[in-house]
């Protein structure tokens, strides 16, 4: 048996020589006598024992040097010619280095990779040269086995089996092993292919890792402190080569299982106009494997601190009553402070809503005539009230509404007040109605009266039955007290709000029994009763809870809304159905301009379990809806802001239409996104029109109130009724109110007329319009209008007028520029002031000349304004104009007349050129002026000489 043994190291470097030991077994006759004589005795003794030793060198394409044992043949056998390797596709070859000595080299034919094959084993044979040159005659040795081991080089870095690892742990526990990471190395040797160490790269984390890759926590984790940890881990092989890329270990901290709602957000943003927005789209209930048989969920939208209990339309009470279909005749006792309703001016007012706050020191007197003195047996009182417990052990009466004696006595005819968290309505009849013991006090005891939240109260009186509606629910009085009627007297009565007027039994009349709380929309309607439908509409809220897709709630879900849709109760026996039902609960706000701010949410749960005395307790969930600020509208009024009319038109039955082309436009500013995404320039703002309602427009008279003896503002009531609007008229102006579109208000304003029966002394009148949305929350610009009167000028009769001044040089066509506003072009002509100064004959002549001049200028601009407005009814017929001139003017000295005429024509042309140069559209206006003069029979010669046909003038 022949064996070669070698060890090599993998490399791509040059081939190096190696010594190979070759052991072979030979016959004892192998060494002849001749050979023995050439060998030492010790060597031949070895051969006699069957072992011969030959030294030879082999070459190997490798880094390591192999030691070789060679076989030495006895010289008579001849030379060694070749070595042959037996095996398939081996990367080795053997070459002869010395034929005589038999030394050879074993070398690699291609690079050796330990990762592909760690060791090789094959057979090799030696061939002598034989007796001839042919290989077939060569003799071969016995087969020898060669075993080669490839030594490894640390060329590969460790790699992790997974790019990331994730684990979930429960807070408050110490784990021996949270998870195990594992890395591998592609090297072939045990030294370089094994992972000897793992290390956490991330610093300051409460975790450690052992050499086997087990990650553990070094301290108790807290869910409240940190929900998730992310750490980086690396690995080292036994050659201390680190991993090529670290791996990510993510550890999620799960709180100790506590029953409750999961996956919900505390803040929900609401953009105005978004419709219905889900509150908890991903919410689900964690029961910690509890056996739940049924669950009841109550979702409450808490908005009692907003406005009047929630986001309601903030129109005036009259407008709201009309929108809800209430009967006419409502009297608002707490209107917005104004010139006509000034009794609320001194009260504390909430800026966002028309809410009046009473601090126990204020009261308001309602003027006489606002409310009838004697109410009938049917009337209605409505109000919004927010009231808390009264201070002190024995609370005093807190008056909301009181009608008492103004002087001498202190009798209360009717009153509404709060006493010890009870609502009391007092109604005392007069003796002339009935002289019997009758019901006088009606008491209601309700918790809502002192809960410091807004509630809507309606007291419907149909004597002797008095019914209270609170938030749409009906309540009968728990106590009714009878009393005698009041004795008749001639003492005047005083109606007050927020306190009661004490006119007698005191040294000085004063307020008493002050109210502590907030009131809004306090009204009284004599002789009418509100229906249940109207009451529900008035207290309805514009925001609330909603359910998207009621059909998908499932058969097993029961739900119920309260009337204002601020509370939703759902009940079911399946956790999955309950989760899906709560995910569909949404918030909705139908106001176009909702009140911005926070809306609190509270979700409470009641759970029933199967046969368990102690069931699961679900904590309440507190969240809030953040209503963002709505885009504010910019209401703009525009139209003709100045014009002239003849005095006769002011005196006519139709009067003068003040706003024939008024236009109301509402816009809002919108940021336009840049078309190029790479552009860093700021966004440009663009205006877009917005359609919404108005609730009032006021036409104010400037420069003093109207004199009802000679002037007024008029509007046909049919124009109002057709558009469901109302109006009030006074010497201070005209007020149109009611919720209506901007186009409705435009149509009504275009029919406002001004009449004046004595316009002779009137030069002009100025008016101002201002409109409002949401009871003054958004107001328009102040649009001002000036209307001037065109007076007839009658020239006095005189036979001694000097003809030299009959044609003064300044009597020429004068044009005034028409400035172009952003809305439209309007004619601007200076006001005409009649100045009549008669001191002497010369001054009289001057007045005549000025009269002619002013008539002509006024006539020209009236024609221009008439054509621009295109109103046929505004045409002015001056055929009856009476002008007195000197009849001798035309028959003066010819020579002097011609000279003066030529000089006057030259001056006229010069001044006309100067005037026309200042016109923006002078040529067109001159053509129009010429056409107008042609229509009135003025020839070219007469235009130059400024002469009139005086044949028809009376003398």
């Amino acid at each position: 048996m022949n064996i070669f043994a070698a060890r090599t190291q993998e490399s791509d470097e040059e081939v190096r020589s190696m010594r190979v030991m070759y052991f072979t077994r030979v016959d004892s006759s192998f060494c002849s006598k001749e050979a023995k004589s050439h060998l030492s005795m010790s060597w031949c003794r070895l051969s006699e024992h069957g072992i011969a030793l030959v030294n030879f060198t082999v070459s190997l394409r490798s880094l390591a040097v192999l030691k070789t044992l060679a076989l030495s043949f006895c010289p008579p056998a001849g030379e060694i010619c070749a070595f042959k390797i037996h095996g398939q596709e081996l990367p080795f070859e053997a070459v002869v280095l010395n034929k005589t000595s038999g030394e050879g080299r074993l070398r690699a034919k291609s690079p050796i990779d330990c990762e592909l094959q760690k060791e090789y084993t094959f057979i090799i044979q030696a061939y002598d040269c034989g007796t001839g040159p042919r290989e077939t005659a060569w003799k071969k040795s016995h087969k020898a086995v060669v075993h080669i081991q490839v030594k490894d080089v640390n060329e590969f870095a460790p790699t992790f089996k997974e790019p990331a690892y994730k684990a979930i742990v429960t807070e408050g526990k110490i784990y021996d092993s949270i998870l195990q990471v594992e890395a591998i190395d592609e090297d072939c040797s045990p030294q370089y292919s094994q992972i000897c160490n793992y290390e956490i790269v991330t610093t300051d984390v409460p975790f450690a890792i052992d050499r086997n890759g087990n990650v553990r926590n070094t301290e108790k984790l807290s869910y409240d402190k940190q929900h998730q940890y992310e750490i980086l881990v690396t690995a080292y092989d036994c050659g201390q080569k680190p991993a090529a890329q670290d791996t990510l270990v993510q550890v999620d901290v799960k709180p100790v299982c506590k029953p409750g709602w999961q996956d919900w957000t505390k803040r929900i943003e609401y953009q105005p106009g978004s419709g219905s927005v889900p509150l908890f789209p991903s919410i689900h209930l964690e029961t910690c494997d509890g056996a739940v048989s049924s669950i009841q969920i109550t979702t409450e939208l808490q908005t009692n601190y907003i406005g009047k209990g929630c986001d309601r339309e903030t129109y005036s009470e009259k407008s709201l009553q009309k929108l809800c279909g209430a009967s006419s005749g409502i009297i608002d006792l707490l209107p917005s402070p104004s010139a006509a309703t000034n009794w609320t001016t001194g009260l504390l007012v909430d800026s966002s809503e028309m809410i009046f706050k009473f601090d126990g020191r204020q009261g308001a007197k309602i003027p006489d005539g606002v409310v009838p003195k004697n109410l009938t047996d049917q009337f209605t009182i409505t109000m919004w009230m927010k009231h808390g417990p009264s201070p002190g052990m024995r609370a005093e009466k807190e008056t909301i509404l009181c009608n008492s004696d103004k002087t001498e006595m202190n009798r209360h005819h009717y009153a509404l007040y709060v006493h010890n968290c009870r609502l009391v309505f007092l109604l005392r009849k007069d003796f002339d109605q009935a002289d019997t013991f009758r019901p006088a006090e009606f008491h209601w005891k309700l918790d809502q009266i002192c809960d410091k939240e807004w509630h809507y109260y309606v007291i419907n009186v149909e004597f002797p039955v008095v019914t209270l509606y609170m938030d749409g629910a009906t309540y009968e009085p728990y106590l009714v007290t009878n009393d005698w009627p009041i004795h008749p007297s001639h003492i005047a009565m005083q109606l007050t709000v927020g306190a009661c007027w004490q006119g007698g039994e005191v040294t000085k009349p004063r307020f008493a029994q002050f109210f502590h709380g907030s009131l809004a929309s306090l009204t009284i309607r004599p002789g009418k009763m509100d229906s249940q439908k109207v009451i529900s509409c008035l207290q309805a809220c514009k925001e609330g809870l909603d359910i998207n897709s009621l059909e998908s709630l499932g058969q097993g879900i029961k739900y119920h809304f309260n009337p204002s849709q601020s509370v939703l109760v759902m009940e079911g026996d399946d956790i999955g159905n309950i989760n899906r039902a709560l995910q569909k609960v949404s918030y909705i706000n139908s106001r176009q301009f909702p009140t911005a701010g926070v809306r609190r949410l509270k979700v409470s749960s009641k759970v029933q379990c199967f046969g368990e005395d102690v069931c699961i307790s679900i904590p309440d969930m507190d969240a809030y809806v953040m209503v963002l600020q709505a885009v504010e509208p910019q209401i703009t009024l525009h139209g003709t802001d100045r014009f002239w009319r003849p005095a006769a038109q002011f005196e006519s039955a139709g009067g003068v239409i003040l706003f024939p082309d008024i236009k109301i436009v509402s816009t809002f500013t919108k940021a336009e996104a840049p078309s190029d995404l790479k552009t860093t320039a700021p966004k440009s703002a663009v205006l877009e029109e917005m359609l919404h309602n108005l609730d009032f427009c006021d036409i104010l008279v400037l420069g003093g109130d109207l004199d009802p003896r000679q002037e007024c503002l008029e509007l046909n009531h049919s124009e109002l009724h057709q558009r469901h609007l109302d109006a009030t008229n006074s010497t201070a102006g005209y007020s149109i109110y009611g919720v209506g579109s901007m186009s409705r208000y435009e149509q009504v304003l275009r029919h406002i007329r001004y009449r004046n029966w004595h316009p002779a002394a009137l030069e002009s009148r100025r008016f101002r319009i201002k409109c409002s949305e949401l009871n003054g929350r958004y107001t328009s610009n102040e649009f001002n209008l000036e209307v001037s009167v065109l007076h007839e000028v009658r020239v006095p009769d005189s036979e001694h007028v000097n003809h030299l001044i009959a044609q003064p040089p300044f009597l020429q066509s004068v044009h005034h520029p028409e400035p172009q506003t952003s809305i439209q072009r309007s004619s601007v002509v200076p006001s005409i002031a009649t100045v009549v100064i008669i001191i002497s004959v010369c001054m009289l002549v001057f007045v005549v000349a000025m009269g002619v001049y002013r008539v002509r200028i006024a006539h020209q601009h009236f024609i221009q304004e008439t054509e621009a407005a295109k109103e046929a009814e505004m045409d002015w017929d001056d055929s009856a104009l009476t002008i007195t001139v000197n009849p001798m003017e035309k028959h003066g000295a010819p020579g002097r007349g011609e000279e003066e005429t030529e000089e006057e024509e030259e001056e006229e042309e010069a001044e006309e050129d100067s005037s026309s140069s200042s016109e923006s559209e002078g040529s067109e206006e001159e053509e129009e002026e010429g056409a107008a003069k042609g229509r009135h029979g003025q020839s070219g010669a007469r235009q130059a000489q400024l002469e009139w046909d005086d044949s028809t003038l009376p003398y």
Side-chain angles (χ1 to χ4, degrees):
M1 184 68 180
N2 304 322
I3 299 174
F4 283 110
R7 176 169 292 182
T8 183
Q9 186 174 17
E10 59 176 352
S11 175
D12 291 334
E13 296 182 3
E14 61 184 5
V15 177
R16 297 183 180 180
S17 299
M18 293 163 283
R19 301 290 296 176
V20 180
M21 297 299 298
Y22 172 47
F23 297 91
T24 185
R25 182 179 296 275
V26 298
D27 295 335
S28 58
S29 60
F30 184 76
C31 291
S32 60
K33 294 181 180 180
E34 292 80 9
K36 289 180 180 179
S37 62
H38 293 85
L39 297 173
S40 63
M41 290 300 297
S42 60
W43 192 264
C44 287
R45 287 196 187 102
L46 289 174
S47 60
E48 288 178 355
H49 288 83
I51 299 175
L53 180 63
V54 177
N55 282 326
F56 66 94
T57 302
V58 296
S59 297
L60 186 64
R61 193 183 307 270
S62 177
L63 293 175
V65 178
L66 305 179
K67 294 183 179 180
T68 307
L69 291 177
L71 176 65
S72 178
F73 294 95
C74 295
E79 297 178 344
I80 300 301
C81 288
F83 298 98
K84 186 176 181 182
I85 297 175
H86 299 280
Q88 296 293 329
E89 299 181 356
L90 294 173
F92 301 102
E93 63 179 359
V95 296
V96 178
L97 297 180
N98 193 326
K99 294 182 178 182
T100 302
S101 63
E103 185 176 4
R105 175 174 293 174
L106 183 64
R107 62 187 181 187
K109 296 187 294 183
S110 60
I112 299 175
D113 192 348
C114 179
E115 285 69 38
L116 297 178
Q117 191 167 343
K118 294 182 179 180
E119 57 185 23
Y120 297 89
T121 301
F122 54 87
I123 296 174
I124 189 171
Q125 284 183 303
Y127 292 81
D128 61 7
C129 293
T131 57
R134 294 181 300 172
E135 294 183 5
T136 56
W138 294 354
K139 290 185 179 181
K140 57 184 178 182
S141 66
H142 293 281
K143 295 180 180 179
V145 178
V146 178
H147 184 74
I148 299 176
Q149 293 181 344
V150 182
K151 187 178 181 181
D152 190 19
V153 174
N154 193 4
E155 58 180 322
F156 292 99
T159 58
F160 287 93
K161 288 186 175 181
E162 301 292 338
Y165 296 84
K166 186 174 183 179
I168 300 176
V169 298
T170 304
E171 65 175 350
K173 293 178 62 177
I174 297 293
Y175 291 82
D176 294 334
S177 177
I178 297 174
L179 57 84
Q180 184 181 18
V181 298
E182 185 178 358
I184 57 175
D185 197 312
E186 295 182 0
D187 288 315
C188 64
S189 63
Q191 179 182 3
Y192 300 134
S193 63
Q194 293 182 0
I195 305 300
C196 286
N197 192 22
Y198 291 92
E199 182 179 314
I200 295 177
V201 179
T202 308
T203 59
D204 298 331
V205 290
F207 297 96
I209 191 170
D210 60 16
R211 62 185 305 170
N212 294 322
N214 294 305
V215 179
R216 60 182 178 87
N217 57 320
T218 58
E219 61 184 50
K220 294 181 180 180
L221 304 179
S222 173
Y223 177 81
D224 295 333
K225 181 179 179 181
Q226 191 166 343
H227 295 359
Q228 186 183 82
Y229 293 88
E230 291 183 350
I231 59 177
L232 295 176
V233 175
T234 190
Y236 295 90
D237 61 16
C238 294
Q240 295 302 308
K241 193 167 189 175
Q245 185 174 0
D246 302 333
T247 188
L248 176 66
V249 177
Q250 181 177 307
V251 179
D252 292 335
V253 181
K254 183 179 68 173
V256 176
C257 187
K258 298 176 183 178
W261 296 102
Q262 305 291 332
D263 295 337
W264 58 277
T265 55
K266 190 176 183 66
R267 174 190 171 104
I268 304 102
E269 289 191 354
Y270 184 82
Q271 183 68 41
S274 301
S276 185
V277 175
L279 296 173
F280 313 109
S282 303
I283 196 171
H284 68 276
L285 181 62
E286 176 63 60
T287 61
C288 296
D289 300 328
V292 176
S293 62
S294 66
I295 183 171
Q296 184 185 81
I297 304 171
T298 302
T299 306
E300 182 180 1
L301 181 66
Q302 299 175 336
T303 57
N304 293 317
Y305 54 93
I306 298 172
K308 291 180 292 188
C310 79
D311 206 9
R312 292 181 166 86
E313 296 288 4
T314 54
Y315 294 118
S316 67
E317 188 63 22
K318 287 185 178 180
S319 298
L320 288 176
Q321 296 271 355
K322 195 166 186 178
L323 286 174
C324 290
S327 306
S328 60
I330 180 176
I331 302 171
D332 194 353
L333 301 180
L334 286 177
S336 303
S338 66
T341 58
N342 57 0
W343 65 85
T344 59
T345 303
L347 300 179
L348 298 176
V349 181
D350 191 324
S351 59
S352 60
E353 304 262 359
M354 293 316 302
I355 296 172
F356 295 86
K357 298 180 180 180
F358 294 88
D359 56 0
R361 294 175 295 179
Q362 288 181 314
K365 292 182 180 181
I366 308 299
D368 296 338
V370 175
V371 179
K373 292 183 179 181
N374 295 318
L375 298 176
T376 62
D377 288 343
Q378 289 186 351
F379 61 93
T380 304
I381 298 175
T382 65
M383 67 175 178
W384 283 94
M385 182 178 72
K386 183 170 71 171
H387 180 264
S390 302
M393 297 298 295
R394 295 185 59 186
E396 298 292 333
K397 293 181 180 180
E398 298 180 58
T399 299
I400 301 170
L401 180 66
C402 180
N403 189 26
S404 60
D405 291 331
K406 184 177 290 187
T407 58
E408 300 182 18
M409 303 181 71
N410 192 31
R411 299 175 302 176
H412 295 184
H413 297 263
Y414 63 87
L416 181 64
Y417 60 91
V418 176
H419 188 209
N420 290 327
C421 291
R422 292 172 175 83
L423 186 65
V424 182
F425 177 67
L426 171 69
L427 179 60
R428 300 286 301 277
K429 290 291 184 177
D430 294 337
F431 260 111
D432 55 356
Q433 294 175 327
D435 191 8
T436 58
F437 204 57
R438 306 192 66 179
E441 287 188 358
F442 304 84
H443 299 251
W444 293 272
K445 184 178 180 181
L446 302 172
D447 295 335
Q448 291 87 340
I449 295 174
C450 287
D451 64 359
K452 295 183 179 180
E453 295 182 356
W454 282 102
H455 298 283
Y456 186 62
Y457 299 85
V458 177
I459 296 94
N460 258 341
V461 178
E462 192 173 9
F463 197 80
V465 178
V466 178
T467 306
L468 171 67
Y469 296 88
M470 189 192 70
D471 295 337
T474 306
Y475 296 90
E476 298 295 334
Y478 82 96
L479 177 64
V480 178
T481 305
N482 296 330
D483 203 348
W484 292 102
I486 295 178
H487 292 280
S489 65
H490 299 286
I491 302 174
M493 291 178 289
Q494 178 64 61
L495 182 61
T496 57
V497 175
C500 195
W501 183 252
Q502 190 172 2
E505 302 177 2
V506 291
T507 305
K508 182 180 180 181
R510 58 181 175 84
F511 281 115
Q513 300 176 3
F514 291 95
F515 179 72
H516 297 77
S518 297
L519 296 174
S521 304
L522 178 61
T523 67
I524 190 167
R525 181 181 289 107
K528 299 292 182 180
M529 289 186 64
D530 275 334
S531 65
Q532 181 68 42
K533 182 179 179 181
V534 172
I535 294 173
S536 299
C537 175
L538 290 173
Q539 65 97 29
C541 187
K542 294 295 182 180
E543 65 178 343
L545 299 175
D546 192 18
I547 296 180
N548 291 331
S549 181
L550 293 173
E551 296 79 7
S552 61
L553 287 182
Q555 297 289 338
I557 299 297
K558 300 177 182 179
Y559 67 92
H560 172 71
F561 283 101
N562 69 333
S564 62
Q565 288 197 208
S566 61
V567 178
L568 169 62
V569 180
M570 295 189 298
E571 186 175 355
D573 54 5
D574 183 78
I575 299 294
N577 289 339
I578 284 290
N579 290 337
R580 287 187 289 272
L582 190 55
Q583 290 170 6
K584 297 182 184 299
V585 177
S586 60
Y587 169 81
I588 187 171
N589 196 320
S590 59
R591 284 190 63 183
Q592 188 175 16
F593 307 108
T595 304
V598 173
R599 313 293 197 270
R600 297 192 184 98
L601 285 167
K602 183 178 181 180
V603 180
S604 56
S605 309
K606 293 181 180 179
V607 178
Q608 292 183 354
C609 301
F610 290 101
E612 295 287 341
D613 295 336
V614 180
C615 197
I616 300 173
S617 178
I618 307 297
D620 292 343
M621 182 170 58
D622 293 319
Y624 64 93
V625 178
M626 176 57 73
V627 179
L628 304 179
Q629 183 67 46
V631 178
E632 295 189 0
Q634 300 174 3
I635 308 172
T636 305
L637 306 176
H638 54 78
T640 303
D641 58 357
R642 193 171 186 180
F643 61 84
W644 292 257
R645 295 292 182 271
Q649 194 168 343
F650 286 89
E651 298 174 348
S652 65
V656 174
I657 296 178
L658 294 181
F659 313 104
D661 57 351
I662 191 71
K663 184 68 176 175
I664 306 176
V665 178
S666 180
T667 59
F668 68 96
T669 304
K670 181 179 179 181
E672 184 179 18
S675 58
D676 188 1
L677 297 178
K678 298 181 181 180
T679 304
T680 58
K683 298 179 181 180
S684 59
V686 295
L687 291 179
E688 292 192 6
E689 288 197 17
M690 175 189 300
L691 297 178
H692 57 82
N693 293 327
L694 300 178
D695 54 4
F696 71 81
C697 283
D698 288 337
I699 300 100
L700 302 178
V701 180
L702 303 181
D705 292 348
L706 298 174
D707 186 355
R709 295 171 298 179
Q710 66 177 20
E711 57 182 343
C712 69
L713 290 174
E714 291 183 346
L715 178 64
N716 292 334
H717 289 285
S718 61
E719 298 293 338
L720 292 169
H721 295 160
Q722 291 175 5
R723 294 165 180 85
H724 306 286
L725 299 176
D726 293 319
T728 58
N729 194 359
S730 67
T731 59
Y734 215 103
S735 180
I736 304 169
Y737 60 90
V739 180
S741 63
M742 294 183 292
S743 61
R744 287 184 181 181
Y745 272 88
E746 283 180 1
Q747 295 167 6
V748 172
L749 289 174
R750 290 173 183 176
H751 289 83
I752 295 288
R753 303 185 307 275
Y754 171 68
R755 292 183 61 193
N756 193 309
W757 299 278
H758 304 286
L762 179 67
E763 291 296 330
S764 63
R765 261 297 186 185
R766 292 187 299 122
F767 303 92
R768 174 179 294 166
I769 304 181
K770 190 172 185 180
C771 297
S772 159
E773 162 71 323
L774 293 176
N775 207 15
R777 181 177 176 184
Y778 305 112
T779 57
S780 69
N781 63 315
E782 294 181 347
F783 176 75
N784 296 318
L785 169 69
E786 182 175 349
V787 181
S788 299
V789 182
L790 294 174
H791 294 281
E792 287 185 351
V793 178
R794 188 176 299 273
V795 181
D797 185 10
S798 175
E799 297 180 355
H800 304 287
V801 180
N802 192 333
H803 74 281
L804 295 180
I805 51 86
Q807 296 179 359
F810 54 82
L811 286 180
Q812 68 272 344
S813 177
V814 180
H815 298 278
H816 295 270
E818 297 178 353
Q820 180 73 26
T821 66
S822 60
I823 308 301
Q824 69 176 46
R825 182 180 299 272
S826 60
S827 299
V828 180
V829 180
S831 301
I832 302 176
T834 305
V835 180
V836 181
I837 304 175
I838 304 177
I839 302 175
S840 62
V841 176
C842 294
M843 294 304 296
L844 178 60
V845 175
F846 179 78
V847 169
V848 173
M850 288 298 296
V852 175
Y853 170 76
R854 290 166 58 191
V855 168
R856 178 174 178 179
I857 295 302
H859 176 59
Q860 292 173 358
H861 285 281
F862 175 69
I863 293 174
Q864 294 176 8
E865 192 277 333
T866 303
E867 292 180 353
K870 295 181 180 180
E871 297 178 359
E873 68 273 16
M874 296 181 186
D875 292 339
W876 177 32
D877 184 6
D878 61 345
S879 59
L881 181 63
T882 302
I883 304 174
T884 303
V885 297
N886 185 3
M888 299 300 294
E889 170 189 314
K890 195 171 183 180
H891 306 284
R896 186 174 178 82
E898 290 177 357
E899 294 175 359
E900 292 179 355
T901 302
E902 291 176 357
E903 293 175 0
E904 289 169 0
E905 286 179 352
E906 291 176 0
E907 293 179 1
E908 241 182 346
E909 290 175 358
E911 292 186 13
E912 284 177 355
D913 293 339
S914 176
S915 174
S916 62
S917 64
S918 62
E919 289 286 331
S920 59
E921 296 174 323
S923 60
E924 295 179 2
E925 293 176 358
E926 287 176 355
E927 291 176 2
E928 294 175 0
E929 181 182 3
K933 292 179 180 180
R935 288 193 297 268
H936 290 276
Q938 294 176 344
S939 63
R942 290 182 179 179
Q943 179 181 355
Q945 299 178 4
L946 299 176
E947 295 177 353
W948 280 267
D949 184 4
D950 57 349
S951 60
T952 61
L953 295 179
Y955 293 97

